[in-house]
Amino acid sequence: MIHHLLIAAQNPKQVAYVLAELFQGEAFPFPDARYPDSYVALTFDMHGTVVDVHPFTTELIPGSQDDTMFQRRQNPDASPYTATHAANSVPASEEQVRAIAARENWQLRHRRGLFEVIEFWIENRVLIELLPPTIASGYLAFMEPHTLKQFFAAKAASTEQKTSH
């Protein structure tokens, strides 16, 4: 279970407040002054889910053995895109998600396949997959351990057959 996620955004405050709206939680400035212009979106759920939103040029790098924390630096040449994404169950309805995306002028796509998700493109560059209550059950059913093991076993067997010829 993921309890904490950090993403980078061009407008961290706006993104944190939009995420808080989707989670039906609240957003606040990041509680550590060493991270200016950073925000947190809190869900106040039973899992303690938090999304930190830092300026998009922020990079976290490992500290030395003597450091108690990772180090932070700014990279002015950072790509605006990232492979990082997360799937999140949200209490907001699909209609609310669509309205928020339209208001922010951010791309959205309802994707169907092995399971349904709503691709919600923060600032049209960072993907989060949203699972409103009406589609979360399908995702959770696919991710049920027995179903997931069967799926990956079948995929592995199919891959082995293709590589053995």
Side-chain angles (χ1 to χ4, degrees), residues 128-149:
I128 61 170
E129 297 171 334
L130 300 179
L131 302 160
T134 56
I135 64 174
S137 60
Y139 177 86
L140 294 173
F142 180 78
M143 293 298 173
E144 184 274 323
H146 181 73
T147 303
L148 206 52
K149 286 177 186 177

Side-chain angles (χ1 to χ4, degrees), residues 91-112:
S93 69
E94 184 172 351
E95 294 76 23
Q96 290 170 309
V97 170
R98 287 184 179 284
I100 292 166
R103 180 191 73 213
E104 299 298 327
N105 199 27
W106 294 347
Q107 293 181 40
L108 178 137
R109 189 179 91 172
H110 191 138
R111 190 182 77 219
R112 293 170 174 85

Side-chain angles (χ1 to χ4, degrees), residues 2-94:
I2 296 174
H3 296 280
H4 183 106
L5 176 67
L6 185 151
I7 64 170
Q10 293 173 347
N11 187 334
K13 182 177 182 178
Q14 175 191 19
V15 169
Y17 279 85
V18 168
L19 289 172
E21 183 179 359
L22 291 166
F23 300 151
Q24 296 179 355
E26 292 185 49
F28 297 94
F30 197 79
D32 187 331
R34 293 176 295 174
Y35 300 91
D37 301 320
S38 297
Y39 292 81
V40 294
L42 304 172
T43 65
F44 300 114
D45 66 9
M46 64 185 215
H47 306 292
T49 307
V50 176
V51 179
D52 294 352
V53 187
H54 293 269
F56 95 95
T57 58
T58 302
E59 294 180 336
L60 301 181
I61 56 175
S64 69
Q65 290 289 359
D66 298 329
D67 292 326
T68 58
M69 251 176 101
F70 50 80
Q71 301 297 307
R72 178 181 62 85
R73 69 178 175 202
Q74 298 299 310
N75 178 359
D77 297 322
S79 169
Y81 301 101
T82 178
T84 302
H85 73 278
N88 298 281
S89 288
V90 294
S93 69
E94 184 172 351

